[in-house]
Amino acid sequence: MKIIGFVGPSGTGKSHHALVVAYDEKIEAIIDDGLLIYRNRIVAGHSAKDETNYMKAVKTAIFSNKEDAAAMRGALRRIKTDRLLILGTSKHMIERIVAVLQLPAPARFITIEEVSTPEDMAVAREQRVKEGRHIIPVPTMELKSHFHGYLLDSVRSLFNRSGGKESSEFEHSVVRPVFSYYGKLVFSDAVLLSLVRHTTSALQGVVKINKIRIRKNRDSRVNGLRIDLTVTVRYGENLKKLTAELRRAVEKEVAFTTGMGIDVLQVTIKDVVAE
């Protein structure tokens, strides 16, 4: 199975453009916010947009529940598709979904900037923030039995290609999830620092955390964090193995708790001591 990731910050129009990307790439199956959409029908999963709060929505989108992940793996086996488009806010999020669902690594990534204009992304962002409008890339009649939040309306979009010589029409559903009424969810730096500190301290072999620095990755075109971590480790530890475990643990905890991806995690061993 060939996996293609479709990456873009939340609220920039990924779901709106997902059918167009799938059409151009000759893909029949899409995973978007916990749903498996195959030939314009929902065949498995439940929408993260149907959750009652943002944290539940994040966990649904990345298949944190083992039963949900197992059901999705089974559905993918049944449809036997040879191409799959996975939507995510970062490359790391898509890679996490791929790992949980036991799929091949993404063959490539497409960013929202490649298929949308800054003006269109600004409009999508304004609708998300001010009106709580979310798009699900299936017809409304198909969605009603799967979605229990606030259904708004269906919308048809006409996309032109090849200088306007070719056009295709796609129907989407516009919804306003319950969690959209709660406003914007912001994680302070202190929360992120505590998460990284707690996860790192729990690893055997790490004696001391010397320094943690967390910031938005300015070199990334998608939403992601850069974490620089300096530690003191116990003498006799396999440094390569320990740093790999540290990376996995920190990435897993940050993604699970906040839904944020980590683009860069730099680990520096400052000292080695004998306890």
Side-chain angles (χ1 to χ4, degrees), residues 199-222:
T199 305
T200 305
S201 300
L203 288 176
Q204 292 186 354
V206 176
V207 177
K208 180 182 177 182
I209 302 169
N210 302 96
K211 184 179 179 181
I212 304 175
R213 186 185 183 192
I214 303 175
R215 60 194 186 279
K216 175 72 181 296
N217 183 19
R218 301 299 179 186
D219 297 329
S220 175
R221 294 179 64 187
V222 297

Side-chain angles (χ1 to χ4, degrees), residues 165-238:
K165 296 179 181 179
E166 179 187 354
S167 63
S168 296
E169 187 177 43
F170 300 97
E171 182 179 351
H172 310 74
S173 296
V174 182
V175 301
R176 183 178 290 140
V178 174
F179 65 74
S180 68
Y181 293 104
Y182 297 146
K184 186 178 181 181
L185 180 64
V186 178
F187 291 96
S188 72
D189 291 345
V191 169
L192 295 171
L193 287 168
S194 295
L195 280 174
V196 175
R197 187 173 296 278
H198 172 75
T199 305
T200 305
S201 300
L203 288 176
Q204 292 186 354
V206 176
V207 177
K208 180 182 177 182
I209 302 169
N210 302 96
K211 184 179 179 181
I212 304 175
R213 186 185 183 192
I214 303 175
R215 60 194 186 279
K216 175 72 181 296
N217 183 19
R218 301 299 179 186
D219 297 329
S220 175
R221 294 179 64 187
V222 297
N223 191 28
L225 298 174
R226 177 186 175 95
I227 299 177
D228 294 290
L229 184 61
T230 303
V231 296
T232 296
V233 301
R234 184 175 56 198
Y235 176 77
E237 291 289 331
N238 183 319

